[in-house]
């Protein structure tokens, strides 16, 4: 060793005076496994080409270890290599930080995998349970309707009310189960659009016939307006589009106590727009961004007036995305006038 600068005392804990004039002993400052790694390198190759930033684990005089980056540069005199200039940098903090980040990354990946597996099992469980529930619930609904027709002339007012409650609540549960099944299928990519060409006017007219009796129950004025420049035919998935509009209209019905609900079919350049407007109490601006979240209702308290799980608008958002469109919402909240 011809020369050692004073930094060696800080980095390796060895005074330069102890090194100068003595042979280099690798085992004095390299960990055992790292020593084997260096000895496996070709000495001739190192002497000829040097080392460029070789990262090794070094050992200090007190036996503590650290990560260092070693470069060896051949110094020539004419054509002969007379010496090697070695530069050792302490990069222990960097490598320890990297090792910690790698450990945290591994743990995070494991956590994500566990959460994804738990979510998959949960979704599969919900799909299986809801599928099993639909058959007996459909039987209850059909049986209650048959009994209601059979007892239409002989039933007392109390019996009619009880049969109506059975049918109404069975219908609510069946709608919920269908929503859960649709959501499970959407998450697993089992629902894809099936495009076909159909008459837009007939499509909207059929929807109006289906929804008018519902709005009549609250004496709400329900109207449909189709602009003159709307094309006669539409090419998309009619079943998926029907579910989107029915969900939007059902949501408008649920949160509108008086006034009206309007369905408009508009055309802008190459885009078709469907707009549902109601005279409900509206939604606060801070709540608009989350109304399309799953199981989300703006009023999630136990005392809310409207039943439901908050799946309808989430399903609308997913269906509209599959159809290549987008869904937006705007609202001006007003004070409710419940009596």
């Amino acid at each position: 060793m011809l020369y050692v600068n004073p930094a060696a005392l800080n980095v390796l804990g060895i005074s330069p005076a102890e090194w100068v004039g003595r042979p280099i002993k690798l085992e004095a400052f390299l960990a055992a496994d790292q020593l084997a790694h260096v000895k496996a390198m070709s000495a001739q190759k190192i002497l000829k080409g040097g080392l460029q930033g070789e990262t090794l684990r070094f050992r200090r005089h007190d036996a503590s270890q650290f990560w260092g980056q070693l470069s060896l540069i051949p110094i020539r005199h004419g054509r002969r290599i007379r010496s090697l200039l070695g530069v050792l940098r302490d990069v222990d903090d960097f490598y320890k930080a990297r090792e910690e980040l790698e450990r945290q990354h591994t743990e995070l990946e494991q956590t994500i995998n566990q959460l994804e597996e738990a979510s998959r099992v949960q979704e599969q469980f919900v799909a299986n349970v809801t599928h099993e529930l639909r058959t007996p619930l459909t039987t209850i609904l059909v049986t209650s309707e048959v009994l209601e027709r059979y007892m239409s002339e002989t039933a007392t007012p109390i019996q009619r009310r009880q049969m109506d409650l059975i049918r109404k609540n069975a219908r609510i549960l069946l709608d919920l189960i269908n929503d859960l099944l649709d959501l499970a299928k959407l998450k697993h990519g089992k629902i894809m659009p099936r495009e076909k060409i159909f008459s837009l006017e007939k499509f909207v007219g059929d929807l109006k016939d289906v929804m008018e009796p519902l709005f009549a129950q609250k004496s709400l004025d329900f109207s449909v307006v189709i602009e003159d420049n709307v094309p006669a035919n539409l090419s998309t998935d009619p079943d998926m589009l029907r579910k989107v509009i029915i969900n939007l209209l059902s949501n408008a019905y649920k949160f509108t106590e008086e006034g009206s609900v309007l369905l408009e079919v508009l055309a802008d350049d190459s885009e078709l727009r469907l707009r549902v407007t109601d005279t409900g109490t509206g939604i606060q601006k801070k709540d608009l961004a989350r109304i399309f979240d799953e199981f989300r209702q703006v009023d999630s308290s136990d005392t809310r007036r409207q039943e439901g799980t908050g799946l309808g608008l989430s399903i609308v958002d997913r269906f509209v995305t599959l159809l290549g469109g987008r869904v937006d919402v705007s609202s001006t909240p007003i004070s409710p006038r419940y009596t």
Side-chain angles (χ1 to χ4, degrees):
M1 189 75 78
L2 300 177
Y3 171 77
V4 178
N5 72 6
L9 182 60
N10 296 327
V11 176
L12 293 169
I14 300 176
S15 171
E18 297 180 48
W19 283 31
V20 175
R22 298 182 180 183
I24 298 173
K25 294 182 179 180
L26 297 178
E27 58 270 17
F29 56 89
L30 275 178
D33 58 332
Q34 302 295 293
L35 182 61
H37 175 68
V38 171
K39 286 185 175 181
M41 299 180 187
S42 168
Q44 185 177 2
K45 184 177 180 181
I46 293 176
L47 288 172
K48 185 177 180 180
L51 286 179
Q52 296 295 324
E54 186 76 19
T55 302
L56 302 165
R57 197 165 63 254
F58 288 83
R59 185 169 60 194
R60 296 187 181 93
H61 187 60
D62 61 4
S64 62
Q65 296 185 2
F66 69 98
W67 286 102
Q69 196 171 69
L70 177 65
S71 294
L72 295 175
I73 305 167
I75 304 298
R76 298 177 182 272
H77 183 71
R79 299 182 63 181
R80 296 180 60 188
I81 297 174
R82 301 301 298 269
S83 60
L84 288 172
L85 173 63
V87 179
L88 174 62
R89 299 178 59 200
D90 184 344
V91 293
D92 196 51
D93 289 343
F94 169 77
Y95 271 84
K96 284 183 176 178
R98 190 180 73 170
E99 288 176 341
E100 177 61 19
L101 286 174
E102 289 175 348
R103 184 189 65 78
Q104 293 179 1
H105 179 71
T106 300
E107 290 182 354
L108 182 60
E109 280 188 332
Q110 292 173 348
T111 301
I112 290 173
N113 290 336
Q114 291 171 357
L115 289 173
E116 288 177 346
E117 177 62 16
S119 177
R120 186 193 65 77
V121 171
Q122 183 184 38
E123 289 172 4
Q124 188 61 47
F125 172 77
V126 170
N128 291 341
V129 170
T130 50
H131 184 76
E132 293 299 323
L133 284 174
R134 187 162 60 173
T135 300
L137 191 55
T138 302
T139 302
I140 293 172
L141 186 60
V142 172
T143 303
S144 66
E145 291 174 350
V146 170
L147 283 174
E148 190 173 18
R149 287 197 299 270
Y150 180 75
M151 298 172 60
S152 60
E153 296 181 359
T154 60
T156 65
I158 293 178
Q159 289 174 329
R160 290 195 186 94
R161 183 173 179 275
Q162 295 301 320
M163 294 303 300
D164 183 61
L165 284 173
I166 292 173
R167 187 183 71 255
K168 179 181 177 181
N169 285 283
R171 175 60 62 184
I172 290 172
L173 285 174
L174 188 59
D175 289 343
L176 169 60
I177 287 171
N178 288 334
D179 283 347
L180 287 169
L181 285 172
D182 280 346
L183 188 60
K185 290 177 182 178
L186 283 167
K187 284 188 173 182
H188 288 89
K190 294 182 179 180
I191 298 181
M192 296 302 292
R194 297 181 179 180
E195 189 172 317
K196 62 183 294 187
I197 300 174
F198 56 92
S199 167
L200 189 59
E201 184 176 0
K202 183 180 185 305
F203 174 82
V204 174
D206 292 342
L207 273 175
K208 184 178 180 182
D209 292 341
V210 170
M211 298 302 295
E212 269 184 332
L214 177 67
F215 290 102
Q217 295 178 14
K218 283 187 177 181
S219 299
L220 296 174
D221 180 25
F222 175 52
S223 54
V224 176
V225 174
I226 302 177
E227 281 192 343
D228 294 337
N229 62 337
V230 170
N233 296 319
L234 184 63
S235 178
T236 188
D237 187 323
D239 295 329
M240 199 172 284
L241 184 62
R242 184 179 296 106
K243 289 181 179 181
V244 167
I245 299 175
I246 288 177
N247 266 329
L248 290 174
L249 291 174
S250 298
N251 194 73
Y253 165 81
K254 186 188 300 183
F255 294 99
T256 304
E257 296 301 320
E258 59 182 17
S260 62
V261 174
L262 170 65
L263 170 62
E264 295 175 276
V265 184
L266 316 167
D268 275 347
D269 298 328
S270 60
E271 283 190 336
L272 183 75
R273 291 195 295 133
L274 301 171
R275 183 165 61 200
V276 175
T277 309
D278 63 63
T279 57
T281 56
I283 304 168
Q284 297 292 335
K285 185 176 181 179
K286 62 182 179 66
D287 296 319
L288 290 176
R290 58 192 180 96
I291 66 170
F292 295 106
D293 294 346
E294 296 167 18
F295 304 102
R296 172 75 70 177
Q297 282 197 355
V298 173
D299 179 10
S300 58
S301 66
D302 293 336
T303 57
R304 67 184 183 208
R305 295 175 60 89
Q306 307 299 341
E307 73 277 349
T309 59
L311 286 176
L313 292 182
S314 174
I315 291 173
V316 165
D317 188 36
R318 288 173 180 266
F319 275 150
V320 169
T321 300
L322 283 175
L323 293 173
R326 66 183 186 276
V327 57
D328 300 309
V329 59
S330 61
S331 181
T332 303
I334 60 174
S335 299
R337 292 178 291 175
Y338 297 138
T339 57

